[in-house]
Amino acid sequence: MRLFAKKIDINQPGTVKITPEEPEDLWVVYNLISPGDVVVTDTTRKVSQTTASGKGKGSTRVTIKLEIRITDVDYEKDSSILRVKGRNVSHNEHVVVGAFHTLELEQNKQFDLTKKVWDSNSIYALREGRDKSSVADLAVILMQQNLARLYLVSGKTTKLCENVEDFSTSNKKDSNKFFENVFRAFVKYVDFDAVKCVVIGSPGTVKDEFRGYLLTESQKLKIKRIEENKSRILVMGTAKNVSLEGFLKDNAVMNLIKGTKAAMEIRAYNEFSDMLFSNPDRACYGPKNVETAHDLKAIETLLITDDLVRSAEPATRRKYIELVKSVKNVGGKAFVYSSKHVSGQQLATLTGIAAILRFPLPDLDDMVM
């Protein structure tokens, strides 16, 4: 998301020019716009045409700039469409002042957003949009003798980019062919302008052999971005047939990737999962249990999937958005997990909402009942 603005001060009025660049940005904007805000953008409108004698001669679409004061905001998750409704507040030859109008805010189309007061939540949402947390800053290559999977992991999503298989390997020449295919995938998908850390995991020595091959080939081919970033390419021993979930749960791996955005959300889910088994009175999941714990101001960390926060049902959506804000307002942390993120998929199996508690609530189930 691109932002153009003078300095925005907390609890002061101000205007920001915003250009959403991807569907995720429209979700950020949805959380940013409130009733009473003013949006200015270009739109088209059908205008009737008449002859000099006053007779109608059809209609045409014209592009106009509208300035509307927002009364309602609507977001469609499946299609990533964001609409704002409100009254026109500036004179326009085609739309009278006070007339209601609906605008669709789109990717790669700039609009102005003016607030009478930029509160802390709004400024936080702006920073979140600018943060580009959907860009992967962690790459993971899980390898076995003849199999490699390359994943890109961000704070928002987990993507399997390449699955390299070669079960015909029987000698060193074949082994180098397998490594060559993994090397090509590495060059194609790992962008060190975004990726802070690459972890190569395998049982045995495959990980070390491939890292050596990777650095040797990059030197031969003069691929400087790999040579210059070799300190970011790390290796870690794994169990056989380890899953990405199991790999990222390893504390040693978490220590290696602690500087990435992806690590924060993975660590929070791992902490919840461990707490659920080791100290279950300090962890809970399910809507009613979590809401009851929040009423008691017991939530230290809230974990929730975007399927709930972006529900197609407006009442459900508002309920969980307010819960996230409320937890933060009383000093708690909140992580919204994408259904495309490895931890989000695990959380979805536990109703999609969970919490780590500040203090034990052994009778929480009885309170809910």
Side-chain angles (χ1 to χ4, degrees), residues 7 14 24 30 56 60 70 97 129 147 157 226 233 257 307 353:
K7 183 181 177 183
E24 190 69 30
Y30 169 74
T60 186
I70 306 301
V97 172
L147 174 67
T157 61
I226 296 179
I233 304 171
I257 68 173
D307 283 338
I353 185 169

Side-chain angles (χ1 to χ4, degrees), residues 45-51 54-62:
R45 192 173 180 89
K46 187 181 287 187
V47 176
S48 299
Q49 295 181 313
T50 58
T51 62
K55 292 183 178 180
K57 63 171 186 178
S59 61
T60 186
R61 282 204 164 271
V62 296

Side-chain angles (χ1 to χ4, degrees), residues 235-251:
V235 295
M236 176 63 63
T238 72
K240 190 176 180 181
N241 298 321
V242 69
S243 65
L244 180 64
E245 294 90 336
F247 184 70
L248 293 175
K249 194 170 175 61
D250 189 300
N251 287 331

Side-chain angles (χ1 to χ4, degrees), residues 91-355:
H91 175 72
N92 186 296
E93 64 176 306
H94 300 297
V95 183
V96 299
V97 172
F100 274 100
H101 198 86
T102 299
L103 298 173
E104 189 170 304
L105 303 182
E106 305 170 13
Q107 286 177 239
N108 301 310
K109 181 179 176 182
Q110 183 177 284
F111 67 92
D112 295 359
L113 174 63
T114 299
K115 287 180 174 288
K116 288 183 178 179
V117 175
W118 283 88
D119 61 22
S120 58
N121 285 332
S122 298
I123 291 176
Y124 176 82
L126 266 187
R127 289 173 180 165
E128 184 184 61
R130 187 181 56 194
D131 188 37
K132 288 294 181 187
S133 55
S134 61
V135 176
D137 63 351
L138 169 64
V140 174
I141 305 175
L142 295 182
M143 305 185 73
Q144 296 180 45
Q145 193 61 45
N146 306 303
L147 174 67
R149 293 189 174 92
L150 190 156
Y151 298 89
L152 289 178
V153 186
S154 75
K156 301 291 183 184
T157 61
T158 303
K159 181 181 179 183
L160 173 60
C161 298
E162 195 84 22
N163 188 23
V164 181
E165 296 183 22
D166 186 359
F167 293 105
S168 64
T169 299
S170 58
N171 54 48
K172 185 173 178 60
K173 182 178 178 181
D174 290 335
S175 177
N176 282 346
K177 183 67 176 176
F178 169 64
F179 280 176
E180 180 184 333
N181 291 334
V182 182
F183 176 82
R184 286 177 179 171
F186 187 102
V187 172
K188 180 178 180 180
Y189 291 106
V190 177
D191 176 8
F192 281 107
D193 287 338
V195 171
K196 292 182 180 178
C197 178
V198 180
V199 185
I200 306 169
S202 81
T205 62
V206 177
K207 59 188 182 303
D208 305 287
E209 291 169 10
F210 175 70
R211 186 179 188 275
Y213 177 91
L214 176 69
L215 297 180
T216 300
E217 287 300 299
S218 62
Q219 193 170 29
K220 283 182 187 175
L221 300 172
K222 293 182 168 49
I223 304 177
K224 289 186 178 180
R225 61 191 176 91
I226 296 179
E227 291 184 76
E228 292 170 354
N229 291 286
K230 62 183 179 182
S231 62
R232 298 199 222 173
I233 304 171
L234 311 173
V235 295
M236 176 63 63
T238 72
K240 190 176 180 181
N241 298 321
V242 69
S243 65
L244 180 64
E245 294 90 336
F247 184 70
L248 293 175
K249 194 170 175 61
D250 189 300
N251 287 331
V253 175
M254 290 305 299
N255 287 332
L256 289 178
I257 68 173
K258 62 185 177 183
T260 66
K261 296 167 191 167
M264 293 177 61
E265 292 179 345
I266 296 168
R267 190 181 294 279
Y269 182 83
N270 288 350
E271 185 181 349
F272 161 75
S273 180
D274 291 343
M275 190 76 75
L276 191 62
F277 287 99
S278 65
N279 191 0
D281 291 343
R282 280 201 55 210
C284 67
Y285 63 90
K288 290 184 178 180
N289 287 46
V290 171
E291 289 165 22
T292 301
H294 180 55
D295 290 341
L296 297 169
K297 293 184 171 53
I299 293 181
E300 178 179 291
T301 305
L302 175 69
L303 303 88
I304 187 169
T305 62
D306 63 352
D307 283 338
L308 293 178
V309 176
R310 304 184 189 185
S311 170
E313 172 55 48
T316 301
R317 187 165 66 226
R318 283 194 296 270
K319 169 184 167 183
Y320 287 117
I321 288 173
E322 287 306 313
L323 177 61
V324 169
K325 288 180 180 178
S326 183
V327 167
K328 290 180 179 179
N329 285 341
V330 296
K333 293 179 289 187
F335 293 94
V336 178
Y337 290 84
S338 168
S339 56
K340 298 177 183 178
H341 192 279
V342 58
S343 299
Q345 292 160 4
Q346 292 172 293
L347 183 58
T349 65
L350 296 173
T351 74
I353 185 169

